[in-house]
Amino acid sequence: MPRDALFDQAVNRSAVYLERLGPLPEGAGPAEVAARIELWYLKTRFAYRVPLEEVVAALLARPADQPPGALEWAGGREGGWRAR
């Protein structure tokens, strides 16, 4: 799998996992997000190939005013959130 596609998949799957856990507290930082997705990260076979810190940074860049499932990450590490 190409690296950009792998990164996109890691961010999108971790975003779904994070949404299932419920909303983050307002102003949650990287440590809070990392703690919430750590179990997913450790259990997902391909995730170790994408640094957790980069996945967390992408998750924190998601616009908060969008409903769950409305956006997806695309474009690899240099990508961004877009409407599905």
Side-chain angles (χ1 to χ4, degrees):
M1 177 178 284
R3 290 193 182 269
D4 283 351
L6 184 66
F7 187 86
D8 295 351
Q9 187 174 23
V11 172
N12 289 320
R13 288 193 180 179
S14 64
V16 169
Y17 181 81
L18 189 60
E19 287 171 359
R20 288 182 182 159
L21 294 177
L24 285 167
E26 191 172 323
E32 173 87 24
V33 175
R36 284 200 174 196
I37 67 167
E38 184 176 30
L39 181 60
W40 171 87
Y41 187 81
L42 294 172
K43 289 184 139 190
T44 303
R45 245 190 287 185
F46 70 88
Y48 74 92
R49 295 171 57 193
V50 179
L52 179 60
E53 299 80 24
E54 292 181 17
V55 173
V56 168
L59 292 172
L60 287 171
R62 185 182 188 281
D65 62 342
Q66 297 294 314
L71 300 174
E72 68 179 353
W73 184 272
R77 286 177 169 84
E78 303 302 318
W81 293 99
R82 67 176 187 190
R84 287 186 183 244

